[in-house]
PDB file of all heavy atoms in Angstrom:
ATOM      1  N   LEU P 111      -1.921  20.402  -2.260  1.00 89.00           N
ATOM      2  CA  LEU P 111      -2.518  19.803  -3.401  1.00 89.00           C
ATOM      3  C   LEU P 111      -1.508  19.012  -4.213  1.00 89.00           C
ATOM      4  O   LEU P 111      -0.383  19.491  -4.403  1.00 89.00           O
ATOM      5  CB  LEU P 111      -3.124  20.906  -4.331  1.00 89.00           C
ATOM      6  CG  LEU P 111      -4.177  21.808  -3.719  1.00 89.00           C
ATOM      7  CD1 LEU P 111      -4.686  22.789  -4.742  1.00 89.00           C
ATOM      8  CD2 LEU P 111      -5.398  21.007  -3.083  1.00 89.00           C
ATOM      9  N   TYR P 112      -1.857  17.842  -4.644  1.00 90.00           N
ATOM     10  CA  TYR P 112      -1.068  16.994  -5.515  1.00 90.00           C
ATOM     11  C   TYR P 112      -1.612  17.086  -6.953  1.00 90.00           C
ATOM     12  O   TYR P 112      -2.799  17.013  -7.169  1.00 90.00           O
ATOM     13  CB  TYR P 112      -1.080  15.558  -5.074  1.00 90.00           C
ATOM     14  CG  TYR P 112      -0.572  15.261  -3.674  1.00 90.00           C
ATOM     15  CD1 TYR P 112      -1.188  15.635  -2.560  1.00 90.00           C
ATOM     16  CD2 TYR P 112       0.658  14.589  -3.511  1.00 90.00           C
ATOM     17  CE1 TYR P 112      -0.746  15.351  -1.306  1.00 90.00           C
ATOM     18  CE2 TYR P 112       1.138  14.270  -2.257  1.00 90.00           C
ATOM     19  CZ  TYR P 112       0.454  14.731  -1.165  1.00 90.00           C
ATOM     20  OH  TYR P 112       0.947  14.397   0.117  1.00 90.00           O
ATOM     21  N   THR P 113      -0.669  17.137  -7.958  1.00 90.00           N
ATOM     22  CA  THR P 113      -1.155  17.100  -9.282  1.00 90.00           C
ATOM     23  C   THR P 113      -1.832  15.701  -9.532  1.00 90.00           C
ATOM     24  O   THR P 113      -1.394  14.716  -9.042  1.00 90.00           O
ATOM     25  CB  THR P 113       0.025  17.167 -10.293  1.00 90.00           C
ATOM     26  OG1 THR P 113       1.036  16.352  -9.889  1.00 90.00           O
ATOM     27  CG2 THR P 113       0.470  18.586 -10.472  1.00 90.00           C
ATOM     28  N   PHE P 114      -3.037  15.812 -10.188  1.00 89.00           N
ATOM     29  CA  PHE P 114      -3.790  14.552 -10.599  1.00 89.00           C
ATOM     30  C   PHE P 114      -3.252  14.063 -11.904  1.00 89.00           C
ATOM     31  O   PHE P 114      -3.291  14.823 -12.939  1.00 89.00           O
ATOM     32  CB  PHE P 114      -5.222  14.830 -10.575  1.00 89.00           C
ATOM     33  CG  PHE P 114      -6.014  13.567 -10.828  1.00 89.00           C
ATOM     34  CD1 PHE P 114      -6.480  12.916  -9.771  1.00 89.00           C
ATOM     35  CD2 PHE P 114      -6.347  13.155 -12.182  1.00 89.00           C
ATOM     36  CE1 PHE P 114      -7.250  11.718  -9.940  1.00 89.00           C
ATOM     37  CE2 PHE P 114      -7.034  12.002 -12.347  1.00 89.00           C
ATOM     38  CZ  PHE P 114      -7.474  11.257 -11.258  1.00 89.00           C
ATOM     39  N   VAL P 115      -2.714  12.847 -11.923  1.00 89.00           N
ATOM     40  CA  VAL P 115      -2.198  12.308 -13.131  1.00 89.00           C
ATOM     41  C   VAL P 115      -3.276  11.709 -13.961  1.00 89.00           C
ATOM     42  O   VAL P 115      -3.934  10.690 -13.517  1.00 89.00           O
ATOM     43  CB  VAL P 115      -1.073  11.258 -12.889  1.00 89.00           C
ATOM     44  CG1 VAL P 115      -0.529  10.752 -14.161  1.00 89.00           C
ATOM     45  CG2 VAL P 115       0.008  11.832 -12.024  1.00 89.00           C
ATOM     46  N   GLU P 116      -3.649  12.250 -15.145  1.00 89.00           N
ATOM     47  CA  GLU P 116      -4.691  11.701 -15.922  1.00 89.00           C
ATOM     48  C   GLU P 116      -4.272  10.424 -16.593  1.00 89.00           C
ATOM     49  O   GLU P 116      -3.111  10.271 -17.072  1.00 89.00           O
ATOM     50  CB  GLU P 116      -5.104  12.674 -17.056  1.00 89.00           C
ATOM     51  CG  GLU P 116      -5.657  13.998 -16.414  1.00 89.00           C
ATOM     52  CD  GLU P 116      -6.233  14.843 -17.628  1.00 89.00           C
ATOM     53  OE1 GLU P 116      -6.991  14.261 -18.493  1.00 89.00           O
ATOM     54  OE2 GLU P 116      -5.952  16.018 -17.595  1.00 89.00           O
ATOM     55  N   GLY P 117      -5.162   9.429 -16.553  1.00 93.00           N
ATOM     56  CA  GLY P 117      -4.854   8.150 -17.074  1.00 93.00           C
ATOM     57  C   GLY P 117      -5.564   7.047 -16.457  1.00 93.00           C
ATOM     58  O   GLY P 117      -6.639   7.249 -15.756  1.00 93.00           O
ATOM     59  N   ARG P 118      -5.043   5.792 -16.537  1.00 94.00           N
ATOM     60  CA  ARG P 118      -5.584   4.612 -15.957  1.00 94.00           C
ATOM     61  C   ARG P 118      -4.584   3.995 -14.960  1.00 94.00           C
ATOM     62  O   ARG P 118      -3.380   4.162 -15.129  1.00 94.00           O
ATOM     63  CB  ARG P 118      -5.958   3.518 -16.944  1.00 94.00           C
ATOM     64  CG  ARG P 118      -6.992   3.983 -18.038  1.00 94.00           C
ATOM     65  CD  ARG P 118      -7.214   2.857 -19.000  1.00 94.00           C
ATOM     66  NE  ARG P 118      -6.057   2.514 -19.766  1.00 94.00           N
ATOM     67  CZ  ARG P 118      -5.890   1.371 -20.525  1.00 94.00           C
ATOM     68  NH1 ARG P 118      -6.857   0.451 -20.527  1.00 94.00           N
ATOM     69  NH2 ARG P 118      -4.816   1.177 -21.203  1.00 94.00           N
ATOM     70  N   THR P 119      -5.121   3.362 -13.943  1.00 95.00           N
ATOM     71  CA  THR P 119      -4.158   2.575 -13.071  1.00 95.00           C
ATOM     72  C   THR P 119      -3.583   1.480 -13.899  1.00 95.00           C
ATOM     73  O   THR P 119      -4.192   1.005 -14.882  1.00 95.00           O
ATOM     74  CB  THR P 119      -4.820   2.029 -11.871  1.00 95.00           C
ATOM     75  OG1 THR P 119      -5.749   1.065 -12.209  1.00 95.00           O
ATOM     76  CG2 THR P 119      -5.571   3.152 -11.075  1.00 95.00           C
ATOM     77  N   LEU P 120      -2.411   1.055 -13.435  1.00 97.00           N
ATOM     78  CA  LEU P 120      -1.776  -0.125 -14.130  1.00 97.00           C
ATOM     79  C   LEU P 120      -2.674  -1.316 -14.007  1.00 97.00           C
ATOM     80  O   LEU P 120      -2.673  -2.209 -14.836  1.00 97.00           O
ATOM     81  CB  LEU P 120      -0.440  -0.357 -13.541  1.00 97.00           C
ATOM     82  CG  LEU P 120       0.413  -1.489 -14.213  1.00 97.00           C
ATOM     83  CD1 LEU P 120       0.655  -1.174 -15.675  1.00 97.00           C
ATOM     84  CD2 LEU P 120       1.745  -1.732 -13.433  1.00 97.00           C
ATOM     85  N   GLY P 121      -3.455  -1.411 -12.883  1.00 95.00           N
ATOM     86  CA  GLY P 121      -4.434  -2.488 -12.698  1.00 95.00           C
ATOM     87  C   GLY P 121      -5.402  -2.563 -13.748  1.00 95.00           C
ATOM     88  O   GLY P 121      -5.922  -3.669 -14.155  1.00 95.00           O
ATOM     89  N   GLU P 122      -5.823  -1.383 -14.299  1.00 95.00           N
ATOM     90  CA  GLU P 122      -6.799  -1.349 -15.389  1.00 95.00           C
ATOM     91  C   GLU P 122      -6.080  -1.638 -16.764  1.00 95.00           C
ATOM     92  O   GLU P 122      -6.570  -2.355 -17.589  1.00 95.00           O
ATOM     93  CB  GLU P 122      -7.484  -0.060 -15.471  1.00 95.00           C
ATOM     94  CG  GLU P 122      -8.316   0.272 -14.280  1.00 95.00           C
ATOM     95  CD  GLU P 122      -8.910   1.665 -14.372  1.00 95.00           C
ATOM     96  OE1 GLU P 122      -8.117   2.663 -14.286  1.00 95.00           O
ATOM     97  OE2 GLU P 122     -10.147   1.840 -14.409  1.00 95.00           O
ATOM     98  N   ALA P 123      -4.917  -1.038 -16.926  1.00 95.00           N
ATOM     99  CA  ALA P 123      -4.227  -1.194 -18.240  1.00 95.00           C
ATOM    100  C   ALA P 123      -3.600  -2.642 -18.342  1.00 95.00           C
ATOM    101  O   ALA P 123      -3.454  -3.075 -19.470  1.00 95.00           O
ATOM    102  CB  ALA P 123      -3.134  -0.139 -18.329  1.00 95.00           C
TER     103      ALA P 123
END
Side-chain angles (χ1 to χ4, degrees):
L111 303 180
Y112 296 72
T113 46
F114 185 91
V115 182
E116 296 190 45
R118 300 181 294 166
T119 67
L120 184 61
E122 295 174 297

